[in-house]
Amino acid sequence: MNRLYTSLEPRVIDDGMLKLAVGEQRPQEEAGKLAKQEGILFKDVLSLQLDFRNILRIDNLWQFENLKKLQLNNNIIEKIEGLENLTHLVWLDLSFNNIETIEGLDTLVNLEDLSLFNNCISNIDSLDALIKLQVLSLGNNQIDNMMNIIYLRRFRCLRTLSLSGNPISEVEDYKMFICAYLPDLVYLDFRRIDDHTASVSLSVSQQAPRFLGKGKEVAEAKHHYSIEELKHRENLMQAQMEEEQARREELEKHKTAFVEHLNGSFLFDSMYAEDSEGNKLSSLPGVSELLEAYRDKFVIICVNIFEYGLKHQEKRKTELDTFSECVHEAIQENQEQGKRKIAKFEEKHLMSLSAIREEVEMPNIEKMILECSTDISELFDALMTLEMQLVEQLEETINMFERNIVHLVGLFIKNVQSLMAQCRDLENHHHEKLLEISISTLEKAVKGNLDKDLSEDVRALFVDKNTIVNAVGASHDIHLLKIDNREDELVTRINSWCTRLVDKIRRDEIMRNRKRVKEISLYIDHMKSELDNLEYSDILD
Amino acid sequence: MEVLREKVEEEEEAEREDAAERAERARTEKMMRQVEVRKEETTLTQEMLRDLEKKLSEIRIPVSVEVPAFTKDTIDISMLPVSYKTNTSKEEQLLQLADNFSRQYSHLCPDRVPLFLHPLNECEVPKFVSTTLRPTLMPYPELYNWDSCAQFVSDFLTMVPLPDPLKPPLHLYSSSTVLKYQKGNCFDFSTLLCSMLIGSGYDAYCVNGYGSQDLCHMDLTREVCPLTVKPKETIKREEKVLPKKYTIRPPRDLCSRFEQEQEMKRQQEIRAQEEKRLKEEEERLMEAEKANPDALHGLRVHSWVLVLSGKREVPENFFIDPFTARSYSTQDEHFLGIESLWNHKNYWINMQDCWNCCKDLIFDLGDPVRWEYMLLGTDKPELFLTEDDSGINNEDDVENLHSWVEQIEISPEAFETRCPNGKKVIQYKRAKLEKWAPYLNHNGLVSRLTTYEDLECTNILEIKEWYRNREDMLELRHINKTTALKTDYFKPGHPRALRVHSYKSMQPEMDRVIEFYETARVDGLIKREETPRTMTEYYRGRSDFLSYRHVDFGPRVKKLTLSSAESNPRPVVKITERFFRNPAKPAEEDVAERVFLVAEERIQLRYHCREDHITASKREFLRRSEVDSEGNKIIVTPDMCITFEVEPMEHTKKLLYQYETLMHLKKEEKLSRRQVWESELEVLEILKLLKEEEEVHTLTISIYDTKRNEKSKEYREAMERMMHEEHLRQVETQLDYLAPFLVQLPPGEKLTRWQAVRLKDECLSDFKQRLINKANLIQARFEKETQELQKKQQWYQENQVTLTPEDEDLYLSYCSQAMFRIRILEQRLNRHKELAPLKYLALEEKLHKDPRLGELLKMFT
């Protein structure tokens, strides 16, 4: 199968070869002359042909950033590599090489046509990134497993496939199998799949039970079941992924509202997660009920915070939306004005330019040119005034927005803090209760009638008053710390979000302003230089 | 005040009563006598009837000459059914009831005119008005709604004025007669319309009342034609958008407010003056248009239709004037009073005062104070409605009024022709509307509206002509006489997808605008405007995003050879093309406008503006002297292309890029010029086509229209013939060949064998005789033919010399025909000879198999 290394020496792609190839493939005649004059940059090349060159290793192609079509057929390449930078590739031809595995194509997301004809590939994989793939040529390879076809189901755009000359094409129902599993395919092995075949395989796959017991159809009936199963599995996967996606989005939304994980007992659970003493104490009689009630109340407050957070998030969002909408409108309006001014100017300018060209009297020409240049500077002034006006207006609006958003954030923080304080109160209350129970238990312990079913490490706490008070206090401290941490996190995050947002708005506005000023001055410069050129040419004339 | 006036009125009434009573008594007496007379009339002799007729025709007020007379003389009453000529006992009873009612009424209200209760019909039989209404639902879906119904009635009938404009007519003809003669007075009109409306479910009533002069004379000259009234443009009130929270503040206004106010004041003054002037002018015009006062105002009797709300989703009561088919509100000042109204069930008298026209009338017929009903049982239409829903058996005692009129029928031909003779002219204020039936005019013209500048209708302003069933889909032609601009509107389906064509002359290269149905065209052309020196085209939905092309032409180069627009196109000076934004391309590479200055050999490109920019890239290619005489070889130099780029890019600076762009543009320029040339050609072709269509103007005929469509007609006739033949054959098969023989035998008895044998023999011998007779007949004809031919030949030989060539031709053709006949007869004879024995045998066989004879014969054999 592999072509023997011929007497020719294997070569590597180097600069000389590339230049030669590019030079050979440049446009012909006049254009070619021009191209030669100017030289061609590798990054301007759209199509490159490197066939029959005994290339062993793909290399040095990184400069061809914009390459769309690359032909490397009829070489002795053994490994697909060095194509990572050619992300604009649409057409890749690697036929008649010695490639054994498909690899190194993960960045070529725009690839539509891939030819790996006449290689030594035995498995179809690593093509996941090529979502736009339409034509896949894998003929004359070593593919021997039908399951490879199932892999191709993920390419929704795939229309043309060639697999002839592979071991699998020898299988009896090879064609039927492919038609059944790849229903969108139009061409198989350079021939159009006629509707009959398609319908047969389709009908087989849909109405299989009817054909049961009839030699060939039995096989297709089997396909039917396996296809259905496959579809089912695919659907399940799809659904799972969607669900996952939805969950992630939900969490993301909560995060933007800064109240993630507050819609349940997450915070409460985390309070007790690292609190060994608290867990121990919960086994005391009466504590579990207390804990239950405490937990319920706590969760209610958390949910309150959560809902309040979502509500406020909505408010902030509408605020931001109205702001950006208004700003957008203002900018649009301003641009329209600018465009109108320019259009008006251009009309007049064109007239006066042609008038200048017609004119013969030198003093007249000079006068007109002067007029023109004053026009240009007037336009410049007008545009700049417009721009400055807009800058002022936007500045004002941005300030207002900042004030409002800061106010909103402040309000939110204040309310959340008060809710958090409720939590803390609850904790304090609980702490007191717990302390009471502990003390009474201690008293019992001192008297010696402690419950029998208490575990040893709990009993160990009830040695003296200090120990038990310390234990309860430690638990309490941990809880408070957790609550404080959550609160701090929320406050810092929302504050940083707020500053970042305002910063970004200001930065964007500055960028916009600079861009516009640059644009205007560029335009004015162009106009002036045009006028100057006219002057020179006229004088020369 | 009210009380005082009433008192005065009462006094006046008391005074009047005496006189009125006397008069009333006299009138009732007279009426009684009349009734008596009528009663006698039924038994009167022909002589007396003629006498009365003469008397009546003497009484009739002579109507103006040009009005088509519609008297009973012209009506052929011989064909009318019995119900027209006599009264049933029920009807007699009803008439007596009506008389009684009328007497009571005149007694109670002596100052009011007598009721219009039972006028005579075309057979001189008194009929109660409610029974003259014949509710009918028309089989035409077009006549289901009141507006189309009224339009139909007004189109279909020709108006005849009342014999006495101050009195209701003595006769009220049946709707069937009216439809037959297509003429009628306002009572006929409203009776017909009312019948149709009630039939299609409206709560409609015939009204006997008083109308204005214009209304009674169907005079529309003071009305604005509804077709000329432009639909009032609904002024879209810009909803003031609430300023959003962050809307930027507008820049400070630095204008002086005082100056503005002064300016405003001045403007207002000018406007006020203008308005005043306009108003005065308007008033002057109104004055001129106003009619001279009518001496008989408020006395002219008219009849119209009232439609009450409730049924058929009618939201409000309204009047329909049957003459003009216009609807009026019940407050309209054309309607001056109502005497009475009726539908097919009952008769109501208006007891309300009509001093303020009909504006204060309340149409609650269930209110006995306002509306005096004549028949019991239907006193409350509202009540009746509910009963109607619950059960129909009430209908019998309620609907005891059976119409004597035959079912109203309108033939499809008459329905299509509509107007009498298919033509109708209506004169409006400053407008004239002419209507024709479809297919009446061979160019498909169905209506024409002529608008005039002045009231006397002398200066034509514009003409609108509507066409129908035209093969070229022409729908409307609008001719503006002041600007001489003609505008043709086409329906979808023109071979060139034309939509609107406005022009002043049909000559090419003149001012014209052609609009197209762009979806029907491959090139997406919407509109093409032409002036002598330019052509502008607008496109939409093209794959190359072209939206606009403007071409400037130069003066035509004079050629010595005979030149037409086709062979010698005008030189193109400049082509401007604009493109929509192509979303697939970045803005700085997407050309927005390109101008080919052909004469100056320059190409200007302007690109689309990027979303956040205010300037767009531009490029100008000069190739003035760089083209040598050979053609394509261009030496590219950097100063050939002037470029302004919003964001300078590297690759566009290259000469190669410029060269390629230029080459591409050159190709495009050629293409554009070719397209321009093609467009010109197309215009020529369209004009040619339009001219041809104008000359030929073929009309399309629907394949369902079997009367007009020749093919369908043939097909239908063939079908009918086939049906007929089939029918004949069936009849034949049913014919019993034994019947004439069986008749001789006593009926109902079973045949004896002897009888059967005899029957068979008779039958066979009869058949044999028939066969022989037939043979003889053919033989005789054959001989006769031969003899005649011989005679003719003889005659020819004798007179051969003196014969003219025509006679000779005649002779020859006769000979050939005679020979043909002889040959055919010979063939028939031979055939008969061949077939006769076979037929004979077949009959025998058949007789053997006949169930009536078969068994007996079998026994015999």
Side-chain angles (χ1 to χ4, degrees), chain A residues 265-325:
Chain A
S265 60
F266 185 83
L267 180 59
F268 187 82
D269 293 344
S270 76
M271 272 160 45
Y272 277 85
E274 296 164 26
D275 176 16
S276 53
E277 275 86 2
N279 286 330
K280 276 181 210 163
L281 288 169
S282 64
S283 59
L284 289 179
V287 176
S288 60
E289 290 88 39
L290 191 68
L291 206 61
E292 201 59 39
Y294 171 44
R295 185 195 149 98
D296 285 349
K297 281 184 191 160
F298 194 89
V299 168
I300 286 169
I301 293 174
C302 280
V303 169
N304 271 346
I305 296 174
F306 176 75
E307 275 164 6
Y308 182 70
L310 286 189
K311 214 171 75 196
H312 247 257
Q313 157 71 5
E314 205 56 40
K315 260 193 198 166
R316 285 194 298 268
K317 197 162 165 292
T318 46
E319 196 78 13
L320 186 60
D321 285 350
T322 23
F323 169 72
S324 32
E325 193 184 333

Side-chain angles (χ1 to χ4, degrees), chain A residues 37-127:
Chain A
Q37 229 173 55
E38 294 187 309
I40 298 171
L41 287 177
F42 283 171
K43 67 175 182 183
D44 291 341
V45 177
L46 294 181
S47 150
L48 185 63
Q49 203 175 347
L50 291 168
D51 47 356
F52 296 103
R53 278 167 218 260
N54 264 26
I55 295 165
L56 182 61
R57 205 176 118 93
I58 309 167
D59 208 350
N60 288 326
L61 289 176
W62 56 271
Q63 290 185 70
F64 293 87
E65 290 168 2
N66 294 312
L67 203 61
K68 289 234 161 88
K69 182 175 171 182
L70 177 60
Q71 280 168 283
L72 284 165
N73 51 320
N74 291 292
N75 287 299
I76 47 172
I77 298 163
E78 291 176 344
K79 189 168 186 282
I80 306 171
E81 60 190 337
L83 300 173
E84 292 82 6
N85 288 329
L86 312 182
T87 49
H88 290 98
L89 265 190
V90 173
W91 174 320
L92 177 60
D93 189 352
L94 285 166
S95 53
F96 297 97
N97 280 297
N98 295 329
I99 298 162
E100 285 174 6
T101 51
I102 303 172
E103 60 193 328
L105 298 173
D106 294 336
T107 53
L108 309 184
V109 286
N110 290 314
L111 208 60
E112 286 174 8
D113 188 328
L114 175 62
S115 175
L116 289 164
F117 196 82
N118 204 0
N119 279 291
C120 316
I121 296 162
S122 56
N123 220 347
I124 310 174
D125 59 358
S126 311
L127 291 171

